Amino acid sequence: MSPRLVPVGSDPAGRRDLPLTITVDGEPLTGVAGQSLAGVLLAAGRPAWRRAPSGAPRGVFCGIGVCFDCLVTVNDERDVRACRRRARDGDAVTTQSRAPGDEQDGRPAR
Amino acid sequence: MTGRHVVVVGAGPAGLAAADAALAAGAEVTLIDSAERPGGQYHRMLPEAYEATDPAVLQHGYRSFDRRSRRVLGHPRCSWWAESSVWALERRDAEADGPPLVHVLRGTPRRRHVLEPDALVLAVGAHDRVLPFPGWDLPGVYTAGAAQALAKGERLVVGDRVVVAGTGPFLLPVATSLLDAGSRVLAVLEAGRPGSVARGWLRRPWELTSQLGKSGELLSYSAALGRHRVSYRMGTAVVEARGDGRVEEIVSARVRADWSVVPGTERVIAVDALCVGHGFTPQLELPVAAGCELRRGPVGSTAGSAAGSPADPFVAVDDDQRTSRPGVYAAGEITGVAGAPAARAEGGVAGWIAAGGDPGSRALVTLRRNRDQGRAFAARLALAHPVGRAWPGWLRPDTVICRCEETTYAAVCRSAGDPTSTEPRVAKLATRAGLGPCQARVCGPTVAELRRSTDTGPGPHHRPVAEPIRLGELARPPEPPPGPATPSTHPDSPTEESTS
């Protein structure tokens, strides 16, 4: 199994789920308002979305904006930490790669 | 009324307490945090869009935190800067006595501002330290803090069959959060051996009585693990993670007091997620940029144990939370990892003094006592859970040490043995460790330790640009900050929060 949201009906915190849709490399993914982009990706069964220089897959590691493993491009804005950015309905997310020869150079901002 | 402008960086337990006390002392406060809502990692709040009816069930001490954050954020003299990062501190040459200029990126899209405070309180916290092991770079391996942040902050669990491993009491709340969210926690693996953990905790037990709140919290976690029949194994470490594109199984092993593996004790466990934490790394780039002196970890920390690795440096502070730089104060995990109650007390002292409050105020006596008790607790914690010196025995030549640049253990060893690259800067260029996007935040302490070069200098924490800034943002002139609030004329006294 993959990461998933606690079902809203059994969540003792008593939350509501307002659905939203983002696209990831053009593919629509459904999440709920308030989730981080990383949260939407994880809950949609995608534990990895970025490639390291060797091509090895990367996703969330630190979860708080320290490790930069989860970088994505959001609506043409490069190098956004997916664990720190709230998903907004209609966000167009593009994955990144630092592997040489990949279409995107993926060279992150310093 | 002091009329002073105090900038507080970080809105976790320490920063919120600092802002609260500085407001009580009559200052004008700007409270800066990278998150949308206050609370930091400890009081991680659910997003507003969730409209949670009972957020208090997810964390200890929520109600007093909620009262304090409403009081601070709603205060007429407080400017709350959410989603804002301090990307640089600039020391002022002309006024050597003043705190540095504070360069901030604020909001989405980000706007650039420069603040000129009368006093600066740094309360930026710490992040998980994770020792590398083969496979730790596989997706599905998370820091313990990531699992906690996702479960508490979004109600997302990282997997259904999870192992929590590493060292320290923080593993317990992480496992509890996962259980509460419906994961199956297969085991909590504590690398410390029962002997050293017990020696750390049981020596001078009277020092712990003041921290009964903390002990009670730990007991409630232990009870939760018991109810769910989660096995808690001491002297056991995760020495490898395996999988095709994501973690599918882990290898655990018994370890000796120095964390060397006992041969033949390896066990394979099928998992879909692994959460690891080997203590915390203080976020020191801003204190280092401000020029604050550092010191080694608290007495009795890892350096004091025969089995331990060298201790991390922390910001040196005096009895009033002053750093070595005039006008700069530090509170919370950057002065020592001591938990939320100590962080709150440190923040209270720092904020009150930074605002120009009376240093003889009676409330300060209580705050200082709480802080000292918290620090004693921290020293105990470090003593009970040292990182064993022989952990590099888990590594293989091709094990990734720097996740960003994929520098291997063999490359780090080669560089450490090369007389032409003894300088850390040269070693960095030669191995690329620490040159990637995270700028050594994850691998820095590990590389320093593998090279046995840890000292109290800034080491891997020297990062003049503390947060990535785009060239376009840098090229635009800074905008004036929104107008300051009018200071009131009624000084109060610093307030202490209970933990329940």
Side-chain angles (χ1 to χ4, degrees):
Chain A
M1 267 294 285
S2 285
R4 55 181 162 73
L5 272 180
V6 174
V8 66
S10 64
D11 192 337
R15 65 169 210 269
R16 62 157 193 184
D17 280 2
L18 280 182
L20 57 74
T21 305
I22 63 171
T23 62
V24 178
D25 296 332
E27 182 198 332
L29 289 187
T30 307
V32 301
Q35 275 184 296
S36 63
L37 287 170
V40 174
L41 280 151
L42 287 170
R46 296 178 62 151
W49 51 82
R50 182 168 168 271
R51 295 210 170 262
S54 68
R58 291 280 198 273
V60 170
F61 178 61
C62 83
I64 61 170
V66 171
C67 77
F68 295 71
D69 268 10
C70 67
L71 291 181
V72 289
T73 299
V74 185
N75 308 326
D76 296 329
E77 186 185 348
R78 283 198 61 86
D79 305 325
V80 173
R81 283 165 276 186
C83 69
R84 295 247 305 248
R85 175 70 72 91
R86 294 257 176 254
R88 286 176 195 163
D89 197 37
D91 274 344
V93 174
T94 320
T95 56
Q96 298 188 358
S97 171
R98 298 186 72 207
D102 271 8
E103 245 172 66
Q104 297 184 45
D105 71 343
R107 199 172 303 131
R110 295 283 196 270
Chain B
M1 179 184 85
T2 67
R4 285 163 72 83
H5 178 206
V6 177
V7 168
V8 179
V9 187
L16 262 187
D20 202 5
L23 290 164
E28 180 203 323
V29 170
T30 304
L31 178 61
I32 299 173
D33 197 277
S34 57
E36 268 181 337
R37 307 186 77 180
Q41 302 308 326
Y42 186 80
H43 291 295
R44 201 151 168 109
M45 292 176 79
L46 290 172
E48 264 170 307
Y50 279 18
E51 292 189 353
T53 51
D54 199 6
V57 299
L58 300 180
Q59 46 182 283
H60 282 267
Y62 182 84
R63 286 181 211 289
S64 61
F65 155 72
D66 189 48
R67 269 198 306 278
R68 171 168 269 173
S69 69
R70 283 172 198 278
R71 182 164 70 230
V72 169
L73 268 50
H75 197 288
R77 273 183 280 111
C78 180
S79 304
W80 162 234
W81 287 25
E83 292 186 273
S84 302
S85 315
V86 176
W87 66 272
L89 293 178
E90 181 185 349
R91 285 187 242 172
R92 287 186 269 193
D93 295 335
E95 299 167 68
D97 284 350
L101 301 178
V102 182
H103 291 265
V104 190
L105 289 165
R106 185 181 185 193
T108 310
R110 309 197 296 184
R111 292 170 181 276
R112 189 152 88 78
H113 302 286
V114 184
L115 297 169
E116 289 187 51
D118 297 307
L120 174 64
V121 179
L122 298 174
V124 291
H127 62 263
D128 294 76
R129 175 153 190 221
V130 178
L131 300 173
F133 48 87
W136 74 307
D137 47 336
L138 281 173
V141 178
Y142 302 90
T143 68
Q148 178 79 331
L150 288 163
K152 266 167 82 171
E154 293 196 31
R155 307 304 287 141
L156 181 130
V157 282
V158 292
D160 281 310
R161 294 173 55 85
V162 189
V163 165
V164 179
T167 192
F170 179 57
L171 302 180
L172 302 178
V174 172
T176 306
S177 289
L178 288 165
L179 289 168
D180 286 347
S183 291
R184 203 170 144 213
V185 178
L186 303 175
V188 176
L189 307 179
E190 162 63 59
R193 295 191 58 85
S196 63
V197 173
R199 270 195 303 280
W201 287 106
L202 298 180
R203 191 180 296 172
R204 298 196 296 274
W206 58 88
E207 282 182 7
L208 291 180
T209 51
S210 62
Q211 296 288 319
L212 280 178
K214 271 270 162 233
S215 310
E217 207 176 311
L218 289 177
L219 280 178
S220 77
Y221 298 136
S222 307
L225 296 193
R227 269 200 311 281
H228 290 272
R229 300 182 187 283
V230 175
S231 90
Y232 178 76
R233 273 181 259 150
M234 302 178 97
T236 308
V238 169
V239 295
E240 186 180 354
R242 300 170 181 161
D244 182 10
R246 60 173 299 175
V247 66
E248 288 162 354
E249 61 185 32
I250 59 149
V251 181
S252 72
R254 303 279 300 163
V255 292
R256 305 185 183 95
D258 64 357
W259 293 16
S260 56
V261 171
V262 180
T265 58
E266 290 86 354
R267 242 184 89 186
V268 176
I269 307 172
V271 299
D272 58 11
L274 168 66
C275 307
V276 207
H278 300 101
F280 296 92
T281 300
Q283 308 208 127
L284 294 180
E285 50 269 271
L286 293 182
V288 167
C292 302
E293 273 172 28
L294 304 179
R295 59 169 184 87
R296 279 208 192 277
V299 178
S301 109
T302 49
S305 159
S309 295
D312 273 339
F314 292 94
V315 181
V317 287
D318 70 5
D319 199 41
D320 285 339
Q321 303 300 130
R322 278 189 194 88
T323 71
S324 63
R325 294 298 301 179
V328 181
Y329 301 77
E333 310 280 59
I334 54 173
T335 73
V337 175
R344 277 193 289 267
E346 291 196 356
V349 174
W352 179 257
I353 299 288
D358 174 10
S361 161
R362 280 186 57 193
L364 276 190
V365 177
T366 313
L367 285 171
R368 286 201 193 96
R369 191 174 57 228
N370 289 350
R371 176 203 54 204
D372 293 344
Q373 287 164 346
R375 284 186 182 165
F377 185 77
R380 199 62 85 73
L381 216 65
L383 186 66
H385 298 275
V387 169
R389 192 174 279 274
W391 69 266
W394 306 338
L395 304 175
R396 297 183 190 143
D398 64 348
T399 302
V400 165
I401 301 294
C402 166
R403 300 171 66 91
C404 296
E405 294 297 314
E406 297 179 305
T407 307
T408 61
Y409 180 46
V412 173
C413 291
R414 253 197 323 273
S415 142
D418 177 353
T420 64
S421 66
T422 51
E423 281 289 314
R425 189 174 48 85
V426 178
K428 198 168 167 177
L429 293 171
T431 66
R432 295 201 59 79
L435 278 182
C438 99
Q439 291 284 289
R441 284 174 177 83
V442 177
C443 71
T446 295
V447 172
E449 190 186 329
L450 290 175
R451 294 170 55 85
R452 297 282 175 216
S453 61
T454 313
D455 57 28
T456 50
H461 301 289
H462 180 63
R463 299 182 192 99
V465 176
E467 278 280 318
I469 178 167
R470 295 186 176 83
L471 288 176
E473 291 165 335
L474 193 58
R476 277 193 292 280
E479 299 174 32
T486 321
S488 91
T489 52
H490 298 289
D492 204 340
S493 61
T495 45
E496 168 61 358
E497 291 282 324
S498 70
T499 51
S500 56

